[in-house]
Amino acid sequence: MSWEDNVRKMDPYIPGEQPDFPDMVKLNTNENPYPPAPGVRKLLAELDADRLKLYPKPDAKELVEALAKAYGVDVKNVFMGVGSDDVLGTAFLTFFTGDKPVLFPDISYSFYPVWAKLYRIPFETPALDENFCIVKEDYMRENGGIVISNPNAPTSIAVSMDFIEDIAKANPDSVVIVDEAYVDYGGESCIPLTKKYDNVLVVQTFSKSRSMAGMRIGFAIGNEKLISYMFDVRNSYNSYTMNYPSIMCGAEALKDKAYFEETTRKIIATREKYKKILCEIGFDCPDSCSNFLFAEHKTMAAKVIFEKLREKHVFVRYFKTPRIDNRLRITIGTEDEMEKLVSALKEILA
C-alpha cells in the first residue's frame, strides 16, 4: 500500500503552447490581437494598490451589475468565475450528478471530457456529421445533461438559437449548457432562452472579444435557481474567486461598447479576407463564426505544416485527434500577423 494508491490520477487538459520569442506570430490560443478598451488601461494605471490587501467582494458586485445591465438581466441571473473554464467546471460539478450520461459532441472543447472524468460523470459523445455539424436528433434522448459549444471549437461552426431551443425544449429534465466563448464573432447568443427555459445556462468569457484573456473573467447567465445552485457549490470550496483588479477592469470594459464592436468587426473582416487567401493557396476552411479558421490543406499534412511554421516562430494549433488530425486551428491576428502567416505558408508550400 502506498500514498499513491489514494491519488486521483488524470489525463489533464493541455492548453495551447505559450511561446515567448520577440519575433513570434502567436495564432494558437484564440486570444484577441488588440488591446483591451482604453478605459481598462486608464483604470489599471490609477488602481489603488492598497486595496489589494483586502479580500475582494465575494459577489463581484460591480462586475455583476455591469453584466446584468449590458445583457438585460437581473443580478440574480449572473454567475462569475475565473475565466469561463472556472464557470464551466463549476457547472459540471453542480448539475451533472446523476447516473445518466451527459452529452457533448465528439469534436468540441477538449476540456469537457476532462471535467467529466475528474468529477466521475458518465458521458457520451455523439459524432458530428461529415461536415462537422451537430446532429440535433442525437440530443433528443435520455441524458443527464447537455453541453454545446456554440460556435463550436475547434470547428468554428455555429448553430442557430432555434436549433438550441429545440434541444432545450426536448430535454426539460436536463440542464443544457451553451458555451458561447466565440459568439461575438458571428454566432447567435442563446441568452434570450434563459428567460424562457429554466434549464438553459449560457456561459461566456472576456478572454476573446473583450481582449482580456490575462484577467481571467468568465460568467454565466441563467435563471435565478440555476445560478443560486452554482453559488452554493462554488462557495463550498472557494468564496473569493474573482480578484479585485479583474472585477473593476471587467466592469470598465463593458462601458465601451463602441470599442468592443470596432475590434470584433475588424477581426471578422480580417477572418473573411484571409479565409479567401488561404483557400487560394490550397486550404479548405468551413465558414467561421469565431475568431479562428479551421484549415485543411489539399496536399500537405497539417502536422508537417504545423512543425514547419513552428520553426519559423509562427504558432498555430494542431490537434492530434481522430477526424481532425489533418486540420489546423488558426487564430485571427492583426493584418501584419496574418500577412506573416501567409508569407510563411507560401514558403512552406512552394
Side-chain angles (χ1 to χ4, degrees), residues 30-267:
N30 293 345
E31 294 144 325
N32 194 312
Y34 302 106
V40 174
R41 182 187 294 271
K42 184 173 184 294
L43 187 148
L44 280 171
E46 298 172 354
L47 201 67
D48 180 9
D50 285 349
R51 182 65 180 76
L52 301 181
K53 69 188 179 186
L54 304 174
Y55 284 111
K57 295 175 183 176
D59 61 2
K61 182 175 183 291
E62 292 86 353
L63 182 50
V64 167
E65 288 180 348
L67 279 164
K69 181 179 178 182
Y71 290 96
V73 297
D74 190 87
V75 293
K76 293 179 180 179
N77 301 122
V78 181
F79 178 90
M80 298 302 309
V82 186
S84 59
D85 287 342
D86 180 42
V87 176
L88 287 162
T90 303
F92 269 64
L93 188 58
T94 304
F95 301 119
F96 303 151
T97 64
D99 298 325
K100 298 173 185 176
V102 171
L103 307 178
F104 45 82
D106 64 331
I107 301 170
S108 193
Y109 186 28
S110 53
F111 223 142
Y112 300 156
V114 175
W115 283 314
K117 291 172 185 175
L118 175 64
Y119 300 137
R120 297 176 179 171
I121 299 166
F123 69 95
E124 294 179 6
T125 54
L128 299 180
D129 69 16
E130 64 276 9
N131 297 313
F132 299 122
C133 295
I134 293 172
V135 180
K136 188 192 303 183
E137 290 72 23
D138 289 340
Y139 298 84
M140 306 292 193
R141 60 184 172 87
E142 200 170 33
N143 63 77
I146 293 169
V147 188
I148 294 175
S149 174
N150 188 43
N152 194 19
T155 66
S156 77
I157 296 170
V159 297
S160 68
M161 182 167 62
D162 288 344
F163 185 103
I164 299 292
E165 181 170 13
D166 287 345
I167 291 174
K169 193 186 302 182
N171 292 279
D173 299 325
S174 299
V175 172
V176 178
I177 298 175
V178 189
D179 181 357
E180 294 187 343
Y182 304 100
V183 73
D184 295 317
Y185 296 108
E188 183 181 13
S189 179
C190 289
I191 287 175
L193 295 183
T194 66
K195 299 179 180 181
K196 191 173 179 180
Y197 298 92
D198 62 5
N199 62 326
V200 175
L201 185 79
V202 173
V203 179
Q204 292 192 17
T205 177
F206 279 51
S207 297
K208 316 300 181 185
S209 56
R210 301 283 177 184
S211 306
M212 297 176 74
M215 277 287 181
R216 310 306 301 128
I217 302 172
F219 64 96
I221 292 177
N223 90 40
E224 183 180 343
K225 186 175 284 189
L226 284 180
I227 298 302
S228 69
Y229 284 139
M230 289 182 70
F231 274 116
D232 287 346
V233 169
R234 201 276 304 280
N235 292 337
S236 297
Y237 66 89
N238 186 1
S239 296
Y240 299 105
T241 57
M242 299 296 298
N243 66 66
Y244 175 68
S246 292
I247 292 169
M248 302 311 294
C249 289
E252 183 64 33
L254 288 166
K255 295 177 184 177
D256 199 338
K257 187 177 180 182
Y259 181 82
F260 162 73
E261 292 176 346
E262 177 192 352
T263 54
T264 52
R265 274 198 306 268
K266 281 200 291 189
I267 290 168

Side-chain angles (χ1 to χ4, degrees), residues 1-9 120:
M1 181 72 176
S2 161
W3 60 266
E4 287 191 85
D5 294 331
N6 295 317
V7 170
R8 189 187 299 271
K9 299 178 178 68
R120 297 176 179 171

